[in-house]
Amino acid sequence: AQSVTQPDIHITVSEGASLELRCNYSYGATPYLFWYVQSPGQGLQLLLKYFSGDTLVQGIKGFEAEFKRSQSSFNLRKPSVHWSDAAEYFCAVVANNNDMRFGAGTRLTVKP
Amino acid sequence: SAVISQKPSRDICQRGTSLTIQCQVDSQVTMMFWYRQQPGQSLTLIATANQGSEATYESGFVIDKFPISRPNLTFSTLTVSNMSPEDSSIYLCSVTGQQETQYFGPGTRLLVL
């Protein structure tokens, strides 16, 4: 079955530490891939997206993600986390007919 | 990217009543989407709203419970009918931009007592 998996429900990192949020998908072909962030009480903001070409994509707020076809993964990374990065992060895919499917989300807590 | 607004931003309603949520976009778009985000959960697609045709509902959602209007290319409404506490959620609208990217409104936070 087609699915988007974010294995980590909650991650805690110290401010200044590096971050990696995992995302795996299960689709027949390579879908379009997205990462969104939702700060408390806010809507969803697009961080970055992948369609084709360079498998390492840069986004806003210092985030990047790498598409690995062999692993069906699209992990989000940031080299140094800031306290303002504390939020919920959603991986999403579009495979067919503009049908966007979301992972369950990963809640990021940043320790001082 | 499109600028999307939603009204109301939040509301507290009594069970058995209905609430209509408005979604306004600053540009003409073909496809608009309505999502539900239950507390602590991810987003679930309710329906796709195309101008000039009836909305297409996902499994588990029906028109009687969530009627949708799409009178033009910049506006849509979602009504949550005969509400129960289980309908307490954030309701978000979105539109598709270039390359299948979806842009989201700020959401409407609904609490049903």
Side-chain angles (χ1 to χ4, degrees):
Chain A
Q2 298 178 335
S3 65
V4 184
T5 303
Q6 292 180 247
D8 305 305
I9 296 174
H10 184 205
I11 284 182
T12 299
V13 300
S14 298
E15 191 168 16
S18 63
L19 171 71
E20 183 169 28
L21 302 182
R22 296 183 291 166
C23 175
N24 294 94
Y25 64 90
S26 174
Y27 286 87
T30 300
Y32 296 152
L33 299 158
F34 306 82
W35 276 99
Y36 288 87
V37 60
Q38 186 178 36
S39 298
Q42 303 295 313
L44 271 74
Q45 181 181 22
L46 179 68
L47 283 175
L48 47 77
K49 57 190 176 185
Y50 171 80
F51 301 104
S52 63
D54 192 346
T55 56
L56 183 64
V57 294
Q58 303 297 319
I60 62 171
K61 304 185 178 186
F63 285 92
E64 66 179 25
E66 185 172 12
F67 167 61
K68 293 185 177 180
R69 186 188 305 276
S70 61
Q71 300 177 18
S72 297
S73 69
F74 189 55
N75 294 348
L76 182 71
R77 301 194 294 249
K78 186 169 184 178
S80 178
V81 170
H82 188 262
W83 65 266
S84 61
D85 293 324
E88 188 89 18
Y89 291 81
F90 293 97
C91 179
V93 305
V94 173
N96 301 301
N97 300 323
N98 297 303
D99 191 6
M100 179 170 278
R101 301 293 173 176
F102 288 82
T106 298
R107 183 160 61 92
L108 174 65
T109 298
V110 180
K111 295 190 301 184
Chain B
S1 63
V3 177
I4 304 168
S5 60
Q6 287 186 231
K7 289 182 182 179
S9 59
R10 60 180 68 240
D11 206 343
I12 301 173
C13 301
Q14 297 296 321
R15 72 171 68 211
T17 63
S18 298
L19 176 72
T20 295
I21 302 168
Q22 300 179 4
C23 179
Q24 180 76 52
V25 189
D26 69 340
S27 58
Q28 294 185 337
V29 293
T30 303
M31 301 182 73
M32 296 180 75
F33 305 87
W34 286 99
Y35 288 84
R36 182 176 73 183
Q37 186 180 22
Q38 293 178 301
Q41 303 294 315
S42 186
L43 281 76
T44 302
L45 181 64
I46 297 172
T48 303
N50 294 329
Q51 195 268 337
S53 63
E54 284 200 4
T56 303
Y57 289 82
E58 296 297 304
S59 175
F61 298 96
V62 295
I63 188 171
D64 290 346
K65 175 68 176 177
F66 296 102
I68 288 171
S69 78
R70 183 78 199 277
N72 57 54
L73 292 174
T74 64
F75 187 78
S76 178
T77 68
L78 169 76
T79 299
V80 186
S81 303
N82 188 24
M83 288 184 285
S84 66
E86 291 72 32
D87 294 319
S88 298
S89 293
I90 301 172
Y91 292 86
L92 300 106
C93 69
S94 73
V95 303
T96 301
Q98 292 183 343
Q99 295 179 312
E100 314 297 340
T101 303
Q102 286 194 23
Y103 298 97
F104 287 82
T108 295
R109 284 151 183 79
L110 172 62
L111 177 63
V112 184
L113 303 177

